[in-house]
Amino acid sequence: MNLRTAAIAAGLAGLFMLRPAIAAAQGTTPAAPPAPPAPAFVELAPGLSVFKGPATTVLLAESADAALLVDSELGKTAPALQQALQGHKPLRYVVNTHWHLDHVGGNEALAGRGASVMAHENAYRRMAQDTYLKHLNRVMPALPPAGRPSVTVLGDGRLRLGELEARLIHVPAAHTDGDLLVHFPAANVLHMGDCFFNGLYPIIDTGTGGTVDGLIAALDRGLALSDARTRIVAGHGPVGDRRDLKKARDMLAEVRDRVAKLKRAGKTREQTLAAAPTRDFDAAWGQDWVKPAQIVGSVYDSLPARP
């Protein structure tokens, strides 16, 4: 029986495709300072908690006997995540919201503990080969086979662990071409992955299918899934709510309109950057690692060519 057939036989019901110096003191040694407390998961709702890692925000959802993790940190920071997982339910699934290494670097270690790693099929393809990341202007090496998703979805999907239900929602051509939103409707919690940068300019990975219009549509989808009490996990920035998501959506839509107007008027990319169309947003949104020129450039690149 091949791996794909085995997955279907396991009851995935056609939703998923399987892929396969301490310095010595003079005389006496001083006592070591106490170790800082290990990072821990912080509860968002009953059974759902977040780990704010150095790279991204990871969500843990636990049923009575098993757990699901959304994203897995960078490889070099994943040991802290694994330590934080001690004492929690056995991990059955890891869902990658997209292919970027700060979200998938812990896959191999977690798969080695018995978890099945899941992602959209497009994200799998990026992880399975060397892929150019335009935002960093570098090629990201393929993940080793053991770190790649073993289960992929082609569109939307659904996972159930006992009483716990997670809905996987594909948002096309958004942050990348393989983004999944992960919604826990009973708990009213939504993980947006990098489709939501809370209080920051977002990355639009135009090199792997990301577009500003698709990202705005993804934010609209998140708004449609949420209400005033929904806890919304951002890939970067603090956990937010529907108001935070709406602010991010409205900012991006306004930036899109301003850049589109300049592009329609025949302005080149360099002229559009020089016009500083985000000037009034920059103090609030552009003080972190995505700078004004980066968001303007990626919006420009993802808009249709001037008629």
Side-chain angles (χ1 to χ4, degrees):
M1 179 181 290
N2 62 33
L3 291 178
R4 185 188 301 269
T5 305
I8 296 172
L12 290 175
L15 287 175
F16 307 115
M17 262 190 332
L18 200 65
R19 302 286 190 204
I22 296 174
Q26 194 73 24
T28 60
T29 302
F41 282 89
V42 177
E43 186 178 75
L44 282 186
L48 277 79
S49 54
V50 291
F51 173 87
K52 186 66 176 173
T56 188
T57 304
V58 173
L59 177 67
L60 178 68
E62 300 178 87
S63 69
D65 58 1
L68 177 158
L69 196 69
V70 182
D71 287 332
S72 67
E73 271 286 321
L74 280 168
K76 66 182 180 182
T77 59
L81 172 60
Q82 293 183 69
Q83 184 178 358
L85 286 167
Q86 298 298 322
H88 290 276
K89 301 296 183 182
L91 193 60
R92 187 171 298 172
Y93 295 108
V94 176
V95 177
N96 294 148
T97 58
H98 61 292
W99 74 272
H100 290 162
L101 293 186
D102 53 335
H103 297 257
V104 306
N107 284 359
E108 184 172 5
L110 296 172
R113 295 174 54 171
S116 295
V117 180
M118 306 178 64
H120 189 270
E121 175 72 8
N122 292 342
Y124 170 86
R125 289 192 299 105
R126 308 296 183 186
M127 293 183 228
Q129 60 190 14
D130 295 350
T131 300
Y132 178 65
L133 181 55
K134 187 175 180 181
H135 182 77
L136 297 180
N137 191 29
R138 57 182 287 205
V139 173
M140 311 307 288
L143 290 183
R148 299 172 195 169
S150 57
V151 182
T152 62
V153 296
L154 289 172
D156 295 349
R158 187 172 300 192
L159 283 172
R160 184 173 290 280
L161 294 176
E163 72 283 5
L164 175 69
E165 181 192 43
R167 297 178 183 175
L168 314 182
I169 301 161
H170 179 223
V171 283
H175 172 63
T176 69
D177 62 2
D179 296 294
L180 292 175
L181 310 183
V182 186
H183 186 214
F184 299 88
N188 204 9
V189 172
L190 173 65
H191 197 309
M192 293 282 296
D194 277 7
C195 290
F196 181 31
F197 279 51
N198 191 5
L200 318 170
Y201 284 142
I203 291 173
I204 305 172
D205 185 358
T206 59
T208 60
T211 68
V212 64
D213 287 332
L215 185 52
I216 292 169
L219 294 166
D220 284 336
R221 186 68 185 274
L223 289 170
L225 291 168
S226 61
D227 60 32
R229 295 180 299 279
T230 307
R231 305 302 303 276
I232 305 176
V233 181
H236 301 279
V239 174
D241 58 21
R242 197 175 191 277
R243 292 171 300 178
D244 298 315
L245 193 64
K246 181 74 161 53
K247 288 177 185 176
R249 187 263 179 216
D250 290 349
M251 176 277 295
L252 188 59
E254 179 62 26
V255 171
R256 187 250 185 238
D257 290 349
R258 294 178 187 183
V259 174
K261 182 177 180 180
L262 291 166
K263 192 168 186 176
R264 286 195 303 269
K267 301 299 183 183
T268 65
R269 191 181 196 274
E270 293 69 26
Q271 289 170 330
T272 300
L273 291 172
T278 63
R279 186 183 293 111
D280 55 325
F281 288 126
D282 293 345
W285 297 87
Q287 301 305 305
D288 211 276
W289 49 301
V290 181
K291 302 305 181 186
Q294 293 170 307
I295 185 61
V296 172
S298 61
V299 169
Y300 187 97
D301 291 345
S302 77
L303 288 171
R306 184 174 65 94

